[in-house]
Amino acid sequence: MRTERNKDGTFNVWLSREEYRAIPRAADSFEHEIAIRLMGDCGLRVTEVLGVTPSDISRMDDGRHYELEVTNGKDTTGSYQGGKQRETWLPVEVEATINRYVQQAGLRDDDPLIERSKRTVQYWVENAADRTADETGNDDYRRVSTHDLRRCWANYLLVEENVSPRIVMALGGWSSYDAIEPYLAAPTEANIIESMSAVEL
């Protein structure tokens, strides 16, 4: 885990995929886990999490994978009433967790999955991260914010899995490469070894 201190005293935290996975495992409930995973596994902003309903989930054309329609995405242009719309990738495991929660809670198709405030969801992440810090002994978890989960998702796709930036931009709702560039961290030692060991110098 790598942390960067911002000028305002807050921190940016760069989590590996394994470090991230410990956080939803430490969630207090299905509802908390789903909120965390919508950010860390689907790339949603915390405000976008609050707009997700069961009807936003659909099966893709191959019949095996799922997508999630984000209807209240961030709009920096002011061109979209109610927010920008996009579709993002919904991992099968996350869809199954959401489906279990929907059945358990008796939610209707148009009911919000997470009918809470932005601050409440932020608190859920802080609480799960604090519990993870206690379990692992790594106090850097106490600096993790909701935005770090989205950062982890984007960085993992771009740096670890070499997914095309254009695909990540579309899934995450970024309109330009400049907007996504901050989510690129320095390559890990493993990335360097894998890439350079095949090069003849």
Side-chain angles (χ1 to χ4, degrees):
M1 190 181 307
R2 183 168 65 85
T3 63
E4 292 177 346
R5 189 180 185 92
N6 298 313
K7 290 180 181 178
D8 63 0
T10 61
F11 286 87
N12 291 335
V13 181
W14 300 88
L15 296 152
S16 72
R17 205 66 194 148
E18 283 308 308
E19 289 166 340
Y20 155 71
R21 286 189 179 116
I23 298 175
R25 284 199 299 266
D28 280 337
S29 67
F30 256 167
E31 185 183 24
H32 295 195
E33 179 186 350
I34 288 165
I36 290 168
R37 297 196 70 180
L38 285 171
M39 293 176 278
D41 290 273
C42 305
L44 270 63
R45 299 172 177 90
V46 63
T47 52
E48 294 170 344
V49 168
L50 307 179
V52 177
T53 68
S55 64
D56 294 327
I57 297 169
S58 59
R59 199 182 293 267
M60 299 181 81
D61 289 342
D62 68 356
R64 295 185 300 115
H65 296 101
Y66 294 88
E67 63 183 2
L68 174 65
E69 183 179 13
V70 180
T71 58
N72 62 332
K74 183 177 179 181
D75 174 25
T76 56
T77 67
S79 304
Y80 300 87
Q81 187 173 358
K84 231 168 136 180
Q85 180 181 343
R86 71 178 188 278
E87 286 78 35
T88 192
W89 182 264
L90 180 66
V92 172
E93 182 187 345
V94 180
E95 189 279 334
T97 302
I98 290 172
N99 189 48
R100 285 197 304 273
Y101 173 65
V102 167
Q103 299 304 318
Q104 183 187 75
L107 297 182
R108 295 168 300 183
D109 282 350
D110 58 350
D111 287 337
L113 292 180
I114 313 296
E115 195 168 17
R116 308 289 179 167
S117 69
K118 174 182 174 180
R119 183 65 195 107
T120 296
V121 175
Q122 289 170 331
Y123 172 74
W124 291 349
V125 172
E126 291 164 9
N127 192 38
D130 282 346
R131 190 175 293 108
T132 306
D134 292 338
E135 291 172 357
T136 63
N138 186 345
D139 279 341
D140 282 341
Y141 274 109
R142 301 189 197 282
R143 295 172 171 169
V144 171
S145 69
T146 53
H147 195 73
D148 293 319
L149 304 183
R150 177 170 157 88
R151 178 182 297 106
C152 173
W153 172 82
N155 180 254
Y156 173 70
L157 295 180
L158 291 164
V159 177
E160 301 296 324
E161 294 297 328
N162 295 311
V163 175
S164 162
R166 288 188 179 275
I167 291 176
V168 178
M169 285 167 59
L171 297 177
W174 289 284
S175 56
S176 69
Y177 184 81
D178 286 345
I180 203 173
E181 196 276 334
Y183 295 84
L184 286 162
T188 64
E189 186 175 274
N191 295 141
I192 294 169
I193 291 170
E194 182 180 350
S195 297
M196 297 305 295
S197 60
V199 176
E200 293 184 17
L201 288 176

